[in-house]
Amino acid sequence: MASRAFGTTVALAITVAAAAVVTAPAAQAAAPARATASAAAPTAPVAPVPGRTDYNGDGFADLAVAAPGATVNGKAGAGYVGVVYGSASGPATATKQIVTQDSAGVPDVAEAGDAFGSAIVSADLDRDGYSDLVVGAETEKDGTVERTGLLTVVWGGASGLSGGATLYTGEQYDGVGGRLTAGDFNGDGAPDLATVKWADLQTLSGPFTRAGAAAGTTAYPDMDDMRYLDLASGDVNGDGRDDVVALRHSGDEYDSRSVAVAAGGATGLGPLAPVKGADGYAIEGGEHLAVGRVNGDVYADLVVGRSVDGYDSDLDLPLAKGGMVTYVPGGATGAQGTRTKVFNQDSAGIPGAAEASDGFGSSVAIGDTNGDGYGDVAVGVSGEALGTVARAGAVLVMPGTSTGPTGTGTKGFNQDTAGVAGVAELNDRFGAAAAFVDGNKDGRAELAVGAPGEDAGAGALWFFPATTAGTTATGSSAINNATLATVAVKAALGASFGR
């Protein structure tokens, strides 16, 4: 950081070297520093509200953030996940928790290069009324076997997250846990997981036991060996079952992208099918994905961020200059590729201008920031230069309407925005991750923004309040590794958020 004060935060007595799962909620302040292997189940558990992550069951939404490059007990790149708990006043930035593979009750041990936190999602896997944290470690080794990857669950409970179990381990070079999503794919009421095993989609069906055993596993081989870039899930066709949406590299060109949907069904997912446009060809995809309700109807919509520009595809995709975002509404027959809307920084109402390497679309998220019933869309522009400061980064919030997102009324934020802690610096990559969370349960979603390049790669994250007028910088707060008292070198805190 430069000289400006970072923000109103409170340093905690938490260190990654101590490797504790630290119970964070203020109501549990008297809990021991090292959590027990499992938390007591509530006397009368109530299933979490769909779409709300609530690890401690207090009714307020919580948020997990990844630092996959963090040093843990001297092991560079072992990685950790931080958790910020919700409260009546929103995300409680003074109330946090660190989870590593050296935390009490969490299986395995922290090792150099594990990248614990490669991907994170939340779901009530054991159906005890508390959301559980599922963490991927894409480069985990199994003994001497390289890059098997690993999925771990850390259980939610009345005192927050504690204990855990191994869910799934791949084989050599499978890289399990690099892409991850959760949903109810067969409609039985038990959350399921989907990850990528090498170039194949792999599902784990719930319910899960406390030992981490799934009710079943299914592989969906991809004969084309297409590389998966992102996964997300939601009920795109409104049939009561979640569908899995995948972004994949396709074709021979470096920047060729595709969007495919595997529809949920009574026996699980169907085959991945490309989303096609009005011309009958597959629509162009991207690297970053959000699934949620933008236009206010009963179907989940897709927002695809394509931050890569240049190369051959720009001849066919003029809007790809500087990056682009594609909105695909859901419908009774699934993703409506014939009704897409495409934006870049030259689109009407959107601040800035489309410039090479801006990274418009380097993150995308959907959330209702003003309580009007429409999902607003956050778009990261992590390569944006601010004046002469290259790759300082920014984030934009596009309003949602009955016809999808619109450029009109779009707001922009960066570290030089009044009220935002910090100063825009070279390679901060502010906006590389974004998420919405209604931490105070008022029907309006606060915006979380990650800058994994902050402080020479240590990383940081920011929270922006939500009002009836939408997202505002007034009252925003920030968290960095110093706040958490963790080892900050190349931690990449804020690389991604839980879904």
Side-chain angles (χ1 to χ4, degrees):
M1 273 279 176
S3 59
R4 190 189 300 181
F6 186 84
T8 305
T9 52
V10 179
L12 303 181
I14 303 174
T15 64
V16 171
V21 175
V22 180
T23 300
Q28 305 294 333
R34 286 186 69 87
T36 57
S38 62
T43 55
V46 177
V49 174
R52 178 185 296 160
T53 296
D54 187 1
Y55 300 123
N56 60 359
D58 65 356
F60 297 106
D62 310 317
L63 182 69
V65 57
T71 297
V72 178
N73 282 340
K75 307 296 174 43
Y80 75 76
V81 176
V83 176
V84 178
Y85 286 83
S87 72
S89 57
T93 54
T95 311
K96 311 169 196 69
Q97 182 173 8
I98 296 293
V99 180
T100 82
Q101 286 183 293
D102 282 348
S103 295
V106 175
D108 213 290
V109 294
E111 300 165 305
D114 279 349
F116 186 74
S118 301
I120 45 180
V121 298
S122 299
D124 184 9
L125 295 191
D126 58 355
R127 296 192 293 182
D128 66 351
Y130 299 104
S131 298
D132 307 308
L133 175 67
V134 182
V135 185
E138 183 177 15
T139 49
E140 174 78 33
K141 293 193 301 184
D142 184 3
T144 60
V145 182
E146 298 285 341
R147 296 183 63 91
T148 60
L150 178 69
L151 287 185
T152 301
V153 60
V154 185
W155 301 112
S159 297
L161 293 166
S162 63
T166 297
L167 296 173
Y168 193 74
T169 302
E171 299 174 345
Q172 189 170 29
Y173 304 129
D174 277 348
V176 166
R179 308 289 182 265
L180 183 61
T181 189
D184 184 3
F185 309 139
N186 57 11
D188 66 354
D192 310 309
L193 298 173
T195 188
V196 175
K197 180 180 179 181
W198 182 238
D200 299 336
L201 191 64
Q202 176 78 45
T203 61
L204 286 72
S205 301
F208 293 77
T209 70
R210 291 289 288 195
T217 60
T218 305
Y220 298 83
D222 180 0
M223 301 306 293
D224 297 323
D225 262 3
M226 292 185 181
R227 182 166 60 93
Y228 284 76
L229 303 171
D230 203 358
L231 290 179
S233 59
D235 189 1
V236 180
N237 59 10
D239 67 352
R241 303 181 181 97
D242 288 321
D243 313 304
V244 169
V245 185
L247 302 182
R248 301 189 291 177
H249 177 268
S250 59
D252 297 327
E253 295 178 0
Y254 164 79
D255 51 348
S256 178
R257 305 285 186 260
S258 66
V259 184
V261 178
T267 59
L269 297 177
L272 279 166
V275 178
K276 296 183 178 181
D279 59 2
Y281 291 96
I283 65 171
E284 185 68 21
E287 307 84 31
H288 309 284
L289 178 63
V291 177
R293 293 191 174 109
V294 177
N295 61 12
D297 65 17
V298 300
Y299 307 107
D301 308 316
L302 284 54
V303 176
V304 178
R306 177 194 167 91
S307 56
V308 169
D309 63 346
Y311 306 95
D312 295 334
S313 69
D314 272 5
L315 299 175
D316 303 317
L317 294 169
L319 281 175
K321 181 181 180 182
M324 72 181 195
V325 167
T326 302
Y327 164 73
V328 186
T333 57
Q336 307 292 293
T338 59
R339 297 172 53 203
T340 59
K341 296 173 71 173
V342 181
F343 304 87
N344 74 354
Q345 278 191 281
D346 284 343
S347 298
I350 295 181
E355 301 163 310
S357 302
D358 274 351
F360 181 81
S362 51
S363 63
V364 287
I366 300 170
D368 184 359
T369 66
N370 57 7
D372 66 356
Y374 299 112
D376 307 306
V377 176
V379 180
V381 197
S382 64
E384 182 80 69
L386 299 179
T388 60
V389 182
R391 296 174 297 281
V395 68
L396 305 175
V397 181
M398 302 173 61
T401 72
S402 60
T403 58
T406 177
T408 303
T410 296
K411 298 180 179 181
F413 304 92
N414 58 64
Q415 285 191 75
D416 284 345
T417 301
V420 177
V423 174
E425 299 166 310
L426 175 69
N427 293 328
D428 278 350
R429 295 193 293 124
F430 183 89
F436 285 110
V437 56
D438 182 9
N440 61 2
K441 205 167 53 174
D442 67 353
R444 298 187 295 269
E446 294 86 38
L447 173 65
V449 180
E454 180 73 27
D455 291 337
L461 63 143
W462 285 254
F463 287 103
F464 292 81
T467 71
T468 54
T471 306
T472 178
T474 303
S476 63
S477 59
I479 297 173
N480 65 3
N481 286 271
T483 307
L484 299 174
T486 60
V487 178
V489 178
K490 302 296 183 184
L493 178 64
S496 65
F497 293 105
R499 292 172 170 170

